[in-house]
Amino acid sequence: MVITLISQKGGVGKSTLAINLALAFSAIKGATVALVDCDEQESCLQALAKFPREKLNLVRVAKSPHLVIEKLKERVIVCDTAGRSHGTAWEAAAASDLVIIPVRPSPLDVLALKTTVAALAVVREKFNQGLRCRFLVNQATPRASISATIKEFLENHYPAVPVMETVLHSREAYKQSVMSGKSVIEHDKSSPAAKELGQLRVEITKIMKSKKGV
């Protein structure tokens, strides 16, 4: 299972999400995970460099990520891409099973997704017809009603890309856990952040088990 995170806007929490997903899947019994960092800033690799794990392979990729991904043997591969329009993101998508597009709950952020959605449609048509794409509302304000509104806004503007049921909120736990090389589940398994991430892991698994090729 190859999961790639793509956003042409910076500051959407993409790298933090990539780290948490990789760590969350590596915690599953029998799982092996590779975290592929295609961003030249190498945020994921730098964050986890001092916290090596037996079941987590950290992979630095400067170019042609699709070639690297195809050679990896891990059961779950999480790929973080650069936060702007970059060829490596589309190459990674071409070798992926699922692309997650993190979206902040802002109308302007939603409107800025047009080129991303168009580019992924080309990748699916020309290189990877089985590619599934999902929007994920991220960094939402807890207890704010805007998340539901943004979901509807996304569905109206980009009907070809489903919106994930899980919503991730802006919480200090995400920052604190990354600083200690942990997922929010390991940091505090009873926290709201841990429950959200667990929900997301389950939802991703269900998407990949589904026969629907959307």
Side-chain angles (χ1 to χ4, degrees), residues 133-186:
C133 300
R134 294 289 189 276
F135 290 123
L136 172 67
V137 178
N138 193 30
Q139 299 182 341
T141 302
R143 294 181 295 278
S145 60
I146 187 67
S147 297
T149 305
I150 288 299
K151 280 189 174 185
E152 185 177 351
F153 201 52
L154 283 164
E155 290 166 354
N156 290 337
H157 279 77
Y158 311 106
V161 181
V163 184
M164 300 189 81
E165 294 180 10
T166 305
V167 174
L168 300 185
H169 294 82
S170 178
R171 303 185 191 278
E172 285 299 312
Y174 287 103
K175 301 174 185 176
Q176 294 170 358
S177 62
V178 168
M179 287 191 291
S180 59
K182 297 179 179 179
S183 72
V184 289
I185 296 174
E186 296 169 306

Side-chain angles (χ1 to χ4, degrees), residues 87-154:
T88 56
W90 317 130
E91 290 173 343
S96 298
D97 298 303
L98 173 66
V99 166
I100 295 178
I101 309 165
V103 186
R104 287 181 300 194
S106 158
L108 294 180
D109 281 48
V110 172
L111 294 173
L113 294 168
K114 185 176 180 180
T115 54
T116 300
V117 172
L120 288 170
V122 172
V123 170
R124 179 187 287 160
E125 180 182 355
K126 292 188 175 182
F127 306 106
N128 185 355
Q129 294 182 358
L131 177 65
R132 304 176 191 208
C133 300
R134 294 289 189 276
F135 290 123
L136 172 67
V137 178
N138 193 30
Q139 299 182 341
T141 302
R143 294 181 295 278
S145 60
I146 187 67
S147 297
T149 305
I150 288 299
K151 280 189 174 185
E152 185 177 351
F153 201 52
L154 283 164

Side-chain angles (χ1 to χ4, degrees), residues 17 21 136 164 166 196-204:
L17 177 56
L21 278 178
L136 172 67
M164 300 189 81
T166 305
E196 290 174 355
L197 185 62
Q199 247 183 336
L200 180 60
R201 183 175 61 186
V202 169
E203 186 172 359
I204 289 171

Side-chain angles (χ1 to χ4, degrees), residues 43-59:
S43 300
C44 293
L45 297 187
Q46 291 185 33
L48 297 178
K50 294 182 179 180
F51 307 98
R53 296 181 181 229
E54 185 179 346
K55 296 196 300 178
L56 180 60
N57 180 20
L58 302 179
V59 183

